[in-house]
Amino acid sequence: MRLLFATIGATMLCAGAAQAQDAATTPAGKEALTLLVDGVKFQTVAGRGQVPAYADYLKAKLLSAGYAPADVQFVPIGETGYLTARTPGRDRKAKPVVVLAHMDVVEADPKDWTRDPFTPVVEGGYVFGRGSLDNKAGLSMAVATLMKLRREKWVPQRDVVLVLTGDEETSMKTTRAAAAAFKDAALVLNADAGGGQLGDDGKPVVYALQAAEKVYGDWHLTITDPGGHSSRPGPDNAIVHLAAAIGRIAAYRFPPQQNEITKASLAGTATMTPGPLGAAMKAFAADPTDTAAADTLSADKRYIGQVRTTCVPTMFNGGHAPNALPQRAVANINCRIFPGTPRAAIEARLVELTADPKITVSFADNGTIEAGASPLDPKVLGAVKAAVAKRAPGLLVVPAQEAGATDSMHFRAYGIPSFGVGGVFMKPSDSFAHGLNERVPVATFDPGVAWWETLLKTLG
């Protein structure tokens, strides 16, 4: 679930146009591109049962690179599952490093797309197709890198385990199972978050290292009423009651918050952001009680998720006939909770804001969990900076908090430091994850596998 490019900001973009590139040039880059093009063809949407087939394809590729059959395993869970591939290290007793990505993708309706979403097209410097960005590009680069290292008989200091989950976009049951299986891991490197931002001229602007993410939560607001004939309305109306409660929730602003990730992110981004927005970043990073600065940031949808919890109505269902008073109305309130804030506290505030005894507030559990931020690890930060220095010398590295949710939360819940270190560098204007005509630049593949090789060798 890739949202990070939307949070860094369009204020840092440059003018110009990048040259199109329709082919990778290095052997590993070509292999990563092939893995992606083949991977898009697998319709790994929930309910279609194609994750095991995609996992079989990836397993065959890993075995062809020299992985031992015993070191590559697929664990089925319902119609999906998760795939693991272990690179044995010198110290087999040391805690392993997990390289994390997900095989599943969100639904895509071919009628809405310019091209069929599951027929990969390489054109104009991009790979088009559902999952091309989220997350099959990151997965393909990580897998191609591990295949390259395996062929070269690389032996890390500790085991490196590739973990590819099968339902990150839905229930995350495979993620929970994988996290439980590898709860002894020393570190998680997630290909589904983090990444480099390019200006419109194709030059790198900033690299975001994801170290935290908002906690996901849905609540249902429900009201029932005897109803009756619409020609005989009374003082109570279920839809009117619920609409008033929704209005109160929508108008409420949760208090501003800060952690070391958002503090460092805003402070770093402020240096490249001119005008009132940059001034607000600097002020809020220095003083999290500066409500004026927080309000300025909250007015920009790219940054509201960095400074406070948000709760918004996303679905509404009310009434049963156009000529009858509603007997039932239900609204969904979607919250993205600042790490460290308990869900129970958010629910209590929603009940308070609802302020209507006729309305019940109930949590809709979708499998996501509460997990805090990962403390910034100097070794990880150093490895990322080393990889950045090779790819774009002098490029700023900024810690970041994801507004969406990723598989990392389940590993963070076990206390495992987890970081989004994706190797995709692209323009914010090219990001169509979860949307129509999803694409990823071909030019990111050659440096992307080099990125992962530097990270793994530095940390391995």
Side-chain angles (χ1 to χ4, degrees):
M1 184 173 293
R2 182 175 287 269
L3 295 174
L4 195 55
F5 289 109
T7 69
I8 300 299
T11 55
M12 297 176 285
L13 298 184
C14 305
Q19 184 178 0
Q21 177 183 334
D22 283 335
T25 58
T26 66
K30 290 178 180 178
E31 190 154 49
L33 182 57
T34 298
L35 288 171
L36 174 61
V37 170
D38 288 348
V40 169
K41 299 173 187 175
F42 292 93
Q43 299 182 27
T44 52
V45 176
R48 298 191 190 178
Q50 289 205 14
V51 168
Y54 183 35
D56 283 344
Y57 164 83
L58 293 169
K59 181 176 181 178
K61 292 293 186 180
L62 290 161
L63 293 177
S64 72
Y67 275 84
D71 288 333
V72 185
Q73 301 293 328
F74 179 72
V75 180
I77 297 177
E79 58 100 20
T80 181
Y82 69 92
L83 178 70
T84 66
R86 183 180 294 269
T87 301
R90 290 189 293 274
D91 184 355
R92 302 306 308 278
K93 294 182 180 180
K95 294 182 177 182
V97 171
V98 168
V99 176
L100 182 64
H102 66 88
M103 297 180 284
D104 62 311
V105 300
V106 298
E107 185 59 270
D109 188 342
K111 296 193 303 295
D112 299 329
W113 283 55
T114 303
R115 306 163 182 81
D116 182 85
F118 297 104
T119 301
V121 174
V122 182
E123 179 181 286
Y126 298 95
V127 181
F128 292 86
R130 172 56 86 219
S132 57
L133 175 60
D134 188 11
N135 170 235
K136 289 179 178 177
L139 179 154
S140 298
M141 288 188 287
V143 170
T145 305
L146 288 168
M147 290 170 64
K148 176 180 183 292
L149 293 173
R150 190 65 177 172
R151 292 188 187 104
E152 295 172 354
K153 304 191 183 304
W154 174 62
V155 180
Q157 174 63 29
R158 61 182 72 225
D159 288 7
V160 173
V161 183
L162 176 70
V163 176
L164 305 179
T165 64
D167 56 356
E168 189 267 358
E169 301 289 6
T170 52
S171 65
M172 291 189 172
K173 290 180 180 178
T174 65
T175 314
R176 289 200 297 275
F182 294 98
K183 62 185 178 182
D184 65 334
L187 175 68
V188 169
L189 302 174
N190 192 348
D192 186 36
Q197 180 171 301
L198 304 179
D200 281 348
D201 60 355
K203 295 180 180 179
V205 176
V206 67
Y207 183 86
L209 167 65
Q210 191 249 46
E213 56 195 85
K214 304 289 276 294
V215 176
Y216 184 101
D218 284 314
W219 278 267
H220 290 171
L221 273 58
T222 306
I223 183 170
T224 58
D225 187 83
H229 202 287
S230 61
S231 67
R232 302 176 62 186
D236 287 332
N237 182 294
I239 289 178
V240 172
H241 272 268
L242 190 56
I246 291 172
R248 288 189 290 273
I249 291 171
Y252 179 75
R253 278 192 170 176
F254 286 84
Q257 292 178 269
Q258 187 183 93
N259 56 33
E260 70 165 333
I261 309 302
T262 58
K263 178 183 175 72
S265 176
L266 290 172
T269 307
T271 64
M272 298 178 293
T273 307
L277 190 60
M281 292 176 181
K282 183 178 180 180
F284 186 73
D287 179 10
T289 66
D290 189 333
T291 55
D295 289 344
T296 297
L297 293 171
S298 295
D300 189 313
K301 65 181 181 180
R302 296 166 298 173
Y303 298 103
I304 185 171
Q306 304 300 299
V307 298
R308 53 177 26 112
T309 291
T310 60
C311 289
V312 296
T314 54
M315 297 181 70
F316 187 96
N317 184 20
H320 60 285
N323 59 351
L325 298 175
Q327 296 175 354
R328 178 182 173 85
V330 181
N332 188 84
I333 305 297
N334 178 253
C335 298
R336 304 298 176 124
I337 306 164
F338 203 92
T341 302
R343 278 177 174 160
I346 301 302
E347 182 168 316
R349 184 52 54 90
L350 290 176
V351 171
E352 179 184 329
L353 293 169
T354 299
D356 191 330
K358 294 185 177 182
I359 299 174
T360 61
V361 179
S362 58
F363 178 62
D365 189 357
N366 75 334
T368 60
I369 59 174
E370 298 180 70
S374 294
L376 288 176
D377 186 330
K379 292 182 180 179
V380 174
L381 188 57
V384 169
K385 287 183 175 180
V388 164
K390 285 188 175 182
R391 186 161 184 173
L395 185 65
L396 179 67
V397 176
V398 177
Q401 177 173 283
E402 191 87 36
T406 73
D407 280 333
S408 290
M409 70 173 77
H410 293 277
F411 292 87
R412 288 194 182 109
Y414 283 106
I416 303 168
S418 303
F419 299 94
V421 292
V424 174
F425 278 52
M426 62 188 294
K427 298 176 287 186
S429 58
D430 282 337
S431 182
F432 296 97
H434 290 209
L436 296 177
N437 306 313
E438 184 178 356
R439 65 192 189 185
V440 68
V442 173
T444 201
F445 284 87
D446 286 328
V449 291
W451 169 271
W452 275 102
E453 184 170 358
T454 299
L455 278 181
L456 293 174
K457 286 185 174 179
T458 304
L459 291 169

